[in-house]
Amino acid sequence: MTHIRAAVRQVHDATPPDRDRAVDALRAFAILGVVLGHWLVTALVADTGGGSHPALHTASPLQHMPWLAPISWVFQTLAVFFMVGGHVATRGHVSARARGIGYPQWLRARLSRLFKPVAAVLALWTAAVAALLLTGADPGTVRALVKLALSPLWFLLVFAALTAATPLLTRINPLWPLAVVLHVDLLRFGLGAPGWIGWLNLPAGWLVPYTLGAAWTRGELERRRSGWILLTGGAAATAGLVAWAGYPASMVGVPGASISNLNPPTLAAVTFGLAQCGLALLLRERLGRATSRPLAWAAVALVNLSAMTIFLWHQTALMATTATGLFAGRLPGLHTQPDDLGWVAARLAWIPVFAVALTVCWAAFRGYEQGPRRPSNRPSRVVRVHRGKSTAVPGRPHRA
């Protein structure tokens, strides 16, 4: 505990006083929100038949208990992540240009941090799929597992594309991509256009919070009035779309539902994201005060150090726990149908176990994101010595 307290104090004391810690806190909450949301609404149900390889299929408590939709309002936090990403990317690009760093070098540095951890995920799941198929696993089970394991990659592809386009997006008003989403939904749901047209909303929908982040960098969202407008306007628009336009109340996909608010994003998902971004902006001051405490700031810095590792491996942690639990039979909240409150209570009890499994994944694979462990005689990447003074680079979270 003495060493932990010393490390916490070192990270806190070495952080520059002008660092906007609220930005890192918002990113940490966004990542953890996605992780907890998936753990709460993703079920892998084991069949009741015999055999050495029980079949698994995905299900969701939102499918059987739609009144639990407010859970998705709390934990579907990707819009906040995209807003923070747009803010950090535009600010970083301006800073790089001022220091004479060219666009190719700036982009290479940002994307390498995103995609290095992907190699480990792909390598492990390639080996796992081969082993499962060779040992006679049900192909449907393998397909369900792979889909869950690799589903986070769509996020990285969209985020990387927006990052690459940052120099072109710095002056775009968020209303333009919002108008694209509105017209796509009108064509798809109102005029009977083919369903594939909805995928135009995949870049356009996430471009809305990303360009909000660029507006934040330009200083256009500093007044609290901006946060209140986004929060109240987004919430009112979302409520109207759900109540009178037939959009689902759940902000995540539900198996068997005819419309998903997330795949691809709908207008309701985008307006809901605007409300979340408004709330995030309103909470900046409180988050800044909270992260002035050494322990809180060290926790935020740690999550930012490992943001991609946590995001890419959290579904694998859930599946590893589920597969291991099969040796004890069909366990409530892990292998059973998510159709009552008993399942919800049991699933809440499994969350700490998932966290332990994710910690194991983090310990094994964090080097792909953070780089190899440094020799003991080399300065830390978290605390860098510069001209005799310690300067914090808490995992370089603003570069994630």
Side-chain angles (χ1 to χ4, degrees):
M1 290 302 298
T2 301
H3 290 299
I4 292 175
R5 284 195 293 267
V8 166
R9 175 56 63 177
Q10 183 183 30
V11 172
H12 173 75
D13 292 343
T15 302
D18 59 345
R19 186 182 189 90
D20 190 349
R21 300 185 182 194
V23 172
D24 301 289
L26 287 173
R27 181 193 286 112
F29 279 122
I31 286 293
L32 295 179
V34 171
V35 170
L36 289 174
H38 282 163
W39 286 351
L40 287 171
V41 303
T42 302
L44 282 169
V45 180
D47 65 8
T48 55
S52 58
H53 297 284
L56 298 170
H57 67 272
T58 57
S60 170
L62 301 177
Q63 183 179 9
H64 301 280
M65 296 174 283
W67 48 270
L68 289 177
I71 292 176
S72 67
W73 305 349
V74 177
F75 294 108
Q76 204 289 81
T77 51
L78 283 173
V80 176
F81 194 99
F82 274 92
M83 181 183 71
V84 172
H87 173 57
V88 171
T90 51
R91 188 174 61 183
H93 182 250
V94 170
S95 175
R97 290 183 60 186
R99 290 180 283 123
I101 297 175
Y103 170 77
Q105 183 180 355
W106 170 82
L107 183 62
R108 184 167 56 252
R110 290 190 61 82
L111 295 189
S112 65
R113 182 71 184 275
L114 284 177
F115 286 112
K116 280 184 179 180
V118 174
V121 175
L122 293 177
L124 182 139
W125 274 99
T126 298
V129 168
L132 288 170
L133 293 177
L134 288 174
T135 55
D138 174 61
T141 297
V142 175
R143 185 164 51 251
L145 296 178
V146 171
K147 184 177 180 180
L148 282 180
L150 302 186
S151 59
L153 296 186
W154 73 261
F155 154 84
L156 286 184
L157 293 176
V158 176
F159 193 81
L162 295 182
T163 299
T166 295
L168 303 176
L169 304 177
T170 53
R171 307 300 303 182
I172 289 182
N173 191 302
L175 291 176
W176 288 109
L178 180 61
V180 172
V181 175
L182 171 62
H183 284 82
V184 167
D185 273 18
L186 283 174
L187 291 172
R188 183 162 58 132
F189 300 131
L191 300 178
W196 60 262
I197 198 174
W199 291 103
L200 294 174
N201 282 350
L202 186 59
W206 299 118
L207 186 56
V208 173
Y210 196 88
T211 51
L212 270 180
W216 181 3
T217 302
R218 297 194 299 268
E220 298 175 7
L221 302 179
E222 291 301 321
R223 299 175 62 183
R224 289 184 63 82
R225 178 184 176 186
S226 300
W228 280 113
I229 290 174
L230 289 171
L231 174 58
T232 57
T238 305
L241 290 169
V242 171
W244 298 302
Y247 284 85
S250 172
M251 292 300 143
V252 298
V254 178
S258 58
I259 300 174
S260 168
N261 271 324
L262 201 57
N263 296 310
T266 63
L267 181 61
V270 174
T271 57
F272 177 77
L274 291 176
Q276 282 189 320
C277 291
L279 179 60
L281 292 171
L282 291 172
L283 292 176
R284 281 180 298 169
E285 292 183 6
R286 292 187 180 183
L287 289 173
R289 290 193 297 269
T291 51
S292 65
R293 301 184 181 93
L295 184 60
W297 172 238
V300 167
L302 178 62
V303 173
N304 277 272
L305 263 171
S306 309
M308 286 300 100
T309 303
I310 293 171
F311 182 77
L312 290 171
W313 289 97
H314 73 279
Q315 293 283 51
T316 299
L318 180 151
M319 289 182 281
T321 304
T322 303
T324 304
L326 282 172
F327 290 102
R330 295 179 80 247
L331 301 176
L334 200 60
H335 310 113
T336 53
Q337 196 71 245
D339 54 5
D340 57 30
L341 288 178
W343 184 93
V344 175
R347 174 50 62 101
L348 290 172
W350 282 107
I351 295 295
V353 183
F354 298 155
V356 170
L358 180 57
T359 301
V360 173
C361 294
W362 170 82
F365 299 105
R366 67 187 177 92
Y368 289 88
E369 179 175 5
Q370 301 175 17
R373 291 182 61 86
R374 61 186 176 88
S376 58
N377 62 344
R378 289 184 58 190
S380 170
R381 296 175 65 187
V382 175
V383 181
R384 181 177 60 206
V385 178
H386 179 61
R387 294 182 182 178
K389 296 182 179 181
S390 294
T391 304
V393 188
R396 298 183 295 179
H398 285 357
R399 295 174 59 184

